[in-house]
Amino acid sequence: MSKGLDHDTLNENVKKAQYAVRGELYLRASELQKEGKKIIFTNVGNPHALGQKPLTFPRQVVALCQAPFLLDDPNVGLVFPADAIARAKHYLSLTSGGLGAYSDSRGLPGVRKEVAEFIERRDGYPSDPELIYLTDGASKGVMQILNTIIRGQSDGILVPVPQYPLYSAAISLYGGSLVPYYLEETANWGLDVNNLRQSVAEARSRGITVRAMVIINPGNPTDEVYQQNIYQDARPFLSARKVLLDMGLPVSKEVQLVSFHTVSKGYWGECGQRGGYFEMANIPPQTVDEIYKIASISLSPNVPGQIFMGLMVSPPKPGDISYQKYVQESNSVLESLRRRAHIMTNGFNSCRNVVCNFTEGAASNRNAFSGAMYSFPQIRLPPKAIEVAKKAGKVPDVFYCLKLLEATGISTVPGSGFGQKEGVFHLRTTILPAEEDMPAIMESFKKFNDEFMEQYEEHRGYSRM
């Protein structure tokens, strides 16, 4: 008799869902690591795993919240600054029993109020804490909203390609249809409205109802959770919410928008803390109630993650004891990320058949992406390499990335995992390895790539557009 967890009886949506960031390349890298090979995991934006130090102030506050008995120690002021002690007492006062107690399913009201105040400062428009839900990272919030929207296979979600595999995996899991709209690589990953209209028309011709559109801001393959990782001054971050509200009536009251943020990215990199939020605009009250009902099934988002979110949106202010150190640490991370982005961009551009330009200004006309925490270079694979890959049963950029992994220990993600135009190949890598290690990593990549191209190119010489 077939059992419920036998593979052939599983939910087909579970089997269809693919997640390239932890896919074939990651599994092979993990095998090699077990065999003793040194692996550099650049497949996922996981800053602390690659050596980034946590910011001091938020860790001090959460440490005191986790061990509140320290607050009763007469020597606590010798170890922790007064403002960290005050903030820990503030957050503990918001809970109904410390970090070990469930919170409201939407998150602690006091933290949601801090998020609302942050959004208002950023955008210049009031935000309602009742329309803000704290979540276990931004991904859980995205999945919650997609689960609410998708009713079946005939419901489509517009997703920018290249896309973060969270969207394709979640849409498959919930039984919906992904409707791709391609960003223009040669125009700084810009949106072509005509292409967007064409995608919608094609979907409708196949009987698909387009239910929602994923907007990636400030640019693929990053998103709004990287609003602090802007490495140029010509195009500062502008939230989708501010754009919507700036448009005025009737649009500002009609278009439904859900925005997400997380403590995992930016310069915090607190991926393991799983703190995030989503804010809803123009969502009917009955729908908000349904979303609350579903959130309640999980009882509560994790409380330490909620406190990290509160600290991110309400960091030390000028005049606070910890302010100078917090600013110094934050700037140090961001400046290092900017330098690493340049090192990686220059390194890729020194390689045969690799094109990667730094997104440095509104008027740039570039052939790839390097910014936020990632690079997304285009790899011009020779026809012979494509042919060999297909004979081996591999997608060409998967073949390339596997060869790269075996030769160098650098674990990346093939561009095919994010979606790309037919016949165009990429890889995605984080820019997160330690700054002092970056030149050696890029040298290792260059050596592998140039030998790979030498092996598979029938006509020698650099292929540049």
Side-chain angles (χ1 to χ4, degrees):
M1 189 177 83
S2 181
K3 297 181 178 70
L5 284 174
D6 286 354
H7 189 263
D8 61 347
T9 69
L10 295 181
N11 181 340
E12 286 300 319
N13 292 337
V14 171
K15 291 195 277 187
K16 278 192 296 185
Q18 301 291 325
Y19 188 68
V21 173
R22 293 276 173 100
E24 179 183 1
L25 263 294
Y26 175 77
L27 295 174
R28 178 60 183 145
S30 299
E31 285 176 11
L32 291 171
Q33 190 179 46
K34 286 176 189 168
E35 293 168 12
K37 186 175 179 71
K38 184 186 175 186
I39 302 297
I40 303 161
F41 286 98
T42 70
N43 58 300
V44 65
N46 194 11
H48 293 193
L50 290 167
Q52 181 176 313
K53 296 290 185 286
L55 301 177
T56 302
F57 181 76
R59 286 297 185 96
Q60 288 173 329
V61 174
V62 176
L64 288 167
C65 290
Q66 290 277 20
F69 51 82
L70 293 175
L71 293 167
D72 299 324
D73 190 310
N75 294 318
V76 66
L78 299 177
V79 182
F80 295 91
D83 53 353
I85 294 169
R87 288 295 289 279
K89 289 178 177 176
H90 159 71
Y91 286 118
L92 288 170
S93 75
L94 300 179
T95 69
S96 58
L99 272 56
Y102 290 128
S103 74
D104 185 287
S105 300
R106 295 165 292 186
L108 295 166
V111 175
R112 286 188 282 131
K113 182 172 180 287
E114 290 178 338
V115 172
E117 290 165 352
F118 157 78
I119 292 170
E120 181 172 350
R121 285 194 306 273
R122 186 194 66 188
D123 295 343
Y125 295 96
S127 173
D128 183 355
E130 294 300 303
L131 298 175
I132 293 167
Y133 282 37
L134 303 180
T135 55
D136 293 338
S139 299
K140 278 290 174 70
V142 168
M143 293 177 76
Q144 197 172 331
I145 296 300
L146 286 174
N147 193 20
T148 304
I149 293 170
I150 295 170
R151 301 164 300 183
Q153 199 168 358
S154 61
D155 280 348
I157 309 293
L158 274 165
V159 178
V161 174
Q163 55 97 30
Y164 183 57
L166 162 68
Y167 300 106
S168 52
I171 291 166
S172 290
L173 188 62
Y174 300 134
S177 295
L178 187 147
V179 179
Y181 67 94
Y182 288 89
L183 301 181
E184 189 49 60
E185 185 170 6
T186 55
N188 208 20
W189 295 110
L191 167 62
D192 181 338
V193 175
N194 290 327
N195 172 267
L196 183 64
R197 289 194 179 112
Q198 187 179 350
S199 294
V200 173
E202 285 177 4
R204 286 175 177 163
S205 72
R206 290 184 284 120
I208 291 173
T209 301
V210 178
R211 298 271 289 158
M213 176 179 176
V214 177
I215 302 172
I216 303 294
N217 173 24
N220 237 38
T222 73
D223 56 42
E224 195 142 322
V225 302
Y226 296 103
Q227 57 192 262
Q228 290 142 322
N229 300 74
I230 308 294
Y231 305 141
Q232 42 75 37
D233 302 319
R235 292 175 295 122
F237 174 76
L238 199 60
S239 75
R241 178 181 182 271
K242 177 171 171 55
V243 172
L244 172 62
L245 296 176
D246 280 350
M247 292 175 79
L249 297 172
V251 175
S252 61
K253 286 290 186 186
E254 289 179 351
V255 173
Q256 298 177 343
L257 176 71
V258 184
S259 303
F260 304 86
H261 206 357
T262 178
V263 301
S264 298
K265 308 305 177 187
Y267 51 85
W268 281 50
E270 291 282 7
C271 301
Q273 309 295 351
R274 309 314 300 137
Y277 75 74
F278 63 83
E279 186 215 26
M280 298 171 279
N282 300 326
I283 307 299
Q286 283 180 300
T287 303
V288 174
D289 290 343
E290 296 290 353
I291 292 170
Y292 183 32
K293 178 183 72 181
I294 299 303
S296 298
I297 294 172
S298 300
L299 289 173
S300 162
N302 85 86
V303 179
Q306 295 181 48
I307 292 172
F308 269 100
M309 177 52 72
L311 288 160
M312 189 182 86
V313 297
S314 182
K317 297 172 178 60
D320 291 352
I321 296 165
S322 299
Y323 176 74
Q324 285 301 125
K325 185 173 187 180
Y326 177 82
V327 170
Q328 182 184 358
E329 290 178 345
S330 302
N331 288 343
S332 175
V333 172
L334 285 168
E335 286 163 8
S336 177
L337 285 169
R338 184 194 287 248
R339 288 193 298 269
R340 280 178 273 174
H342 279 288
I343 292 169
M344 188 165 274
T345 301
N346 293 337
F348 282 135
N349 278 330
S350 73
C351 298
R352 181 183 295 185
N353 294 350
V354 179
V355 184
C356 181
N357 286 285
F358 193 79
T359 53
E360 193 69 73
S364 59
N365 183 21
R366 305 303 194 196
N367 275 67
F369 175 89
S370 183
M373 289 185 179
Y374 307 99
S375 264
F376 199 67
Q378 186 180 137
I379 314 293
R380 305 277 172 76
L381 293 174
K384 186 180 174 187
I386 295 170
E387 183 186 329
V388 171
K390 287 179 177 172
K391 280 182 180 171
K394 299 290 182 190
V395 176
D397 53 13
V398 173
F399 176 78
Y400 177 91
C401 290
L402 280 168
K403 293 282 189 187
L404 171 67
L405 171 65
E406 302 279 351
T408 66
I410 301 171
S411 176
T412 59
V413 188
S416 51
F418 296 84
Q420 54 198 353
K421 290 183 178 178
E422 188 69 31
V424 180
F425 304 105
H426 300 83
L427 64 80
R428 192 191 79 162
T429 173
T430 70
I431 61 169
L432 296 172
E435 191 173 339
E436 61 269 23
D437 296 338
M438 192 69 83
I441 291 170
M442 294 313 298
E443 186 57 39
S444 174
F445 176 88
K446 178 177 169 59
K447 181 175 184 292
F448 159 79
N449 177 80
D450 290 356
E451 288 175 357
F452 180 95
M453 296 301 170
E454 189 73 23
Q455 180 181 352
Y456 290 105
E457 271 194 326
E458 292 173 4
H459 305 286
R460 299 290 179 258
Y462 287 75
S463 172
R464 290 270 178 207
M465 278 179 70

XYZ file of all heavy atoms in Angstrom, residues 158-162 179-201 213-216 220 421:
271
model
N 3.028 38.293 -12.362
C 4.087 38.900 -13.170
C 5.361 39.001 -12.342
O 5.365 39.565 -11.242
C 3.674 40.305 -13.608
C 2.832 40.448 -14.877
C 2.223 41.842 -14.926
C 3.668 40.185 -16.125
N 6.439 38.444 -12.874
C 7.705 38.418 -12.144
C 8.815 38.909 -13.072
O 8.912 38.445 -14.213
C 8.031 36.993 -11.648
C 9.376 36.958 -10.937
C 6.931 36.493 -10.708
N 9.656 39.854 -12.616
C 10.750 40.332 -13.473
C 11.820 39.260 -13.638
O 12.182 38.582 -12.681
C 11.293 41.544 -12.702
C 10.964 41.265 -11.274
C 9.680 40.490 -11.286
N 12.285 39.098 -14.861
C 13.324 38.115 -15.163
C 14.571 38.852 -15.619
O 14.479 39.711 -16.491
C 12.832 37.131 -16.251
C 13.943 36.198 -16.692
C 11.643 36.325 -15.726
N 15.759 38.567 -15.018
C 16.014 37.506 -14.056
C 15.326 37.762 -12.708
O 15.240 38.898 -12.264
C 17.541 37.507 -13.903
C 17.989 38.839 -14.377
C 16.983 39.318 -15.356
N 4.270 34.492 -14.738
C 4.222 35.235 -15.997
C 5.461 36.136 -16.037
O 5.535 37.126 -15.313
C 2.936 36.086 -16.097
C 2.913 36.866 -17.407
C 1.691 35.212 -15.957
N 6.469 35.790 -16.848
C 7.712 36.567 -16.833
C 7.591 37.866 -17.616
O 6.916 37.922 -18.644
C 8.716 35.631 -17.497
C 7.886 34.802 -18.429
C 6.536 34.654 -17.782
N 8.222 38.928 -17.108
C 8.465 40.105 -17.936
C 9.955 40.379 -17.879
O 10.544 40.432 -16.813
C 7.605 41.305 -17.532
C 7.855 41.942 -16.188
C 8.708 43.049 -16.038
C 7.197 41.484 -15.039
C 8.911 43.657 -14.814
C 7.399 42.087 -13.806
C 8.258 43.170 -13.692
O 8.458 43.769 -12.465
N 10.563 40.481 -19.067
C 12.021 40.537 -19.151
C 12.531 41.960 -18.983
O 12.065 42.884 -19.648
C 12.504 39.950 -20.481
C 12.358 38.457 -20.521
C 11.176 37.871 -20.983
C 13.369 37.624 -20.064
C 11.018 36.489 -21.008
C 13.225 36.241 -20.077
C 12.044 35.682 -20.541
O 11.891 34.321 -20.544
N 13.500 42.114 -18.072
C 14.173 43.401 -17.906
C 15.255 43.516 -18.979
O 15.829 42.510 -19.407
C 14.769 43.513 -16.510
C 13.757 43.395 -15.364
C 14.453 43.540 -14.022
C 12.656 44.445 -15.493
N 15.535 44.753 -19.391
C 16.450 44.989 -20.504
C 17.884 45.113 -19.992
O 18.266 46.128 -19.412
C 16.038 46.255 -21.268
C 16.809 46.452 -22.562
C 16.851 45.198 -23.436
O 15.773 44.708 -23.831
O 17.972 44.722 -23.692
N 18.654 44.064 -20.229
C 20.017 44.003 -19.692
C 20.890 45.137 -20.202
O 21.719 45.670 -19.469
C 20.643 42.652 -20.051
C 22.005 42.429 -19.446
C 22.496 41.000 -19.603
O 21.816 40.204 -20.286
O 23.567 40.697 -19.052
N 20.713 45.534 -21.468
C 21.563 46.581 -22.048
C 21.115 47.986 -21.643
O 21.717 48.968 -22.034
C 21.573 46.478 -23.584
O 20.230 46.523 -24.054
C 22.244 45.190 -24.037
N 20.040 48.085 -20.863
C 19.554 49.396 -20.391
C 19.489 49.399 -18.862
O 18.482 49.787 -18.264
C 18.193 49.717 -20.994
N 20.586 48.893 -18.242
C 20.688 48.939 -16.785
C 19.562 48.159 -16.113
O 19.027 48.550 -15.092
C 20.689 50.399 -16.304
C 21.435 50.559 -15.004
O 22.242 49.712 -14.643
N 21.162 51.636 -14.307
N 19.182 47.028 -16.718
C 18.084 46.192 -16.220
C 16.801 47.002 -16.095
O 16.048 46.880 -15.137
C 18.442 45.530 -14.891
C 19.565 44.558 -14.995
C 20.825 44.718 -14.487
C 19.568 43.291 -15.661
N 21.594 43.630 -14.801
C 20.856 42.735 -15.516
C 18.600 42.588 -16.371
C 21.200 41.500 -16.057
C 18.940 41.357 -16.908
C 20.230 40.821 -16.743
N 16.554 47.853 -17.080
C 15.367 48.707 -17.065
C 14.116 47.953 -17.499
O 14.175 46.907 -18.145
N 12.976 48.517 -17.143
C 11.682 47.946 -17.491
C 11.206 48.520 -18.822
O 11.173 49.738 -19.004
C 10.669 48.268 -16.382
C 9.195 48.019 -16.689
C 8.946 46.555 -16.962
C 8.329 48.501 -15.525
N 10.840 47.628 -19.749
C 10.257 48.027 -21.031
C 8.749 47.823 -20.910
O 8.263 46.685 -20.852
C 10.842 47.161 -22.149
C 10.301 47.543 -23.530
O 9.214 48.146 -23.591
O 10.962 47.222 -24.527
N 7.991 48.922 -20.872
C 6.539 48.833 -20.665
C 5.874 48.047 -21.790
O 4.909 47.296 -21.555
C 5.919 50.244 -20.541
C 4.398 50.163 -20.442
C 6.472 50.961 -19.312
N 6.366 48.181 -23.017
C 5.784 47.425 -24.137
C 5.953 45.927 -23.929
O 5.040 45.138 -24.194
C 6.422 47.853 -25.469
C 6.008 49.261 -25.872
O 4.888 49.686 -25.583
N 6.902 49.984 -26.520
N 7.144 45.533 -23.426
C 7.387 44.121 -23.134
C 6.447 43.635 -22.027
O 5.925 42.521 -22.072
C 8.846 43.918 -22.711
C 9.117 42.507 -22.216
O 9.032 42.242 -21.019
N 9.435 41.613 -23.128
N 6.221 44.498 -21.045
C 5.315 44.171 -19.938
C 3.897 43.932 -20.460
O 3.240 42.939 -20.115
C 5.330 45.307 -18.918
C 4.498 45.126 -17.653
C 5.013 43.965 -16.820
C 4.509 46.410 -16.829
N 3.421 44.845 -21.311
C 2.074 44.704 -21.894
C 1.969 43.407 -22.714
O 0.953 42.712 -22.676
C 1.763 45.909 -22.788
C 1.528 47.206 -22.004
C 0.889 48.263 -22.894
N 0.652 49.485 -22.154
C 1.296 50.632 -22.358
N 2.227 50.701 -23.296
N 1.014 51.701 -21.640
N 3.038 43.111 -23.442
C 3.059 41.903 -24.265
C 2.961 40.649 -23.387
O 2.225 39.704 -23.716
C 4.345 41.870 -25.092
C 4.398 40.755 -26.113
C 5.700 40.787 -26.916
O 6.476 41.734 -26.832
N 5.940 39.732 -27.679
N 3.672 40.649 -22.256
C 3.629 39.514 -21.328
C 2.217 39.300 -20.791
O 1.735 38.164 -20.706
C 4.598 39.736 -20.158
O 5.926 39.748 -20.605
N 1.550 40.410 -20.434
C 0.178 40.324 -19.919
C -0.764 39.792 -21.005
O -1.595 38.905 -20.751
C -0.303 41.700 -19.403
C -1.782 41.650 -19.030
C 0.528 42.147 -18.195
N -0.623 40.327 -22.232
C -1.493 39.903 -23.336
C -1.313 38.420 -23.641
O -2.297 37.687 -23.842
C -1.204 40.751 -24.576
N 1.780 41.769 -9.574
C 3.058 42.046 -10.231
C 4.124 42.245 -9.171
O 3.956 43.022 -8.231
C 2.936 43.309 -11.082
C 4.233 43.755 -11.731
S 3.937 45.238 -12.743
C 5.616 45.616 -13.280
N 5.225 41.507 -9.302
C 6.371 41.676 -8.415
C 7.228 42.811 -8.967
O 7.621 42.782 -10.134
C 7.203 40.382 -8.331
C 8.444 40.594 -7.458
C 6.364 39.235 -7.783
N 7.487 43.811 -8.132
C 8.355 44.931 -8.529
C 9.650 44.813 -7.738
O 9.630 44.763 -6.509
C 7.704 46.295 -8.219
C 6.361 46.425 -8.934
C 8.636 47.435 -8.615
C 5.580 47.650 -8.512
N 10.757 44.736 -8.463
C 12.058 44.647 -7.813
C 12.686 46.036 -7.832
O 12.814 46.653 -8.874
C 12.975 43.654 -8.554
C 12.316 42.271 -8.642
C 14.315 43.548 -7.866
C 12.118 41.573 -7.338
N 16.979 44.383 -10.504
C 17.295 42.966 -10.475
C 18.789 42.757 -10.638
O 19.425 43.505 -11.375
C 16.537 42.271 -11.611
C 15.669 41.174 -11.066
O 15.089 41.332 -10.014
N 15.614 40.081 -11.757
N 17.120 35.470 -20.999
C 16.682 35.341 -22.388
C 17.349 34.130 -23.041
O 18.461 33.742 -22.680
C 17.013 36.630 -23.159
C 16.137 37.809 -22.728
C 16.429 39.061 -23.537
C 15.493 40.190 -23.113
N 15.758 41.445 -23.814
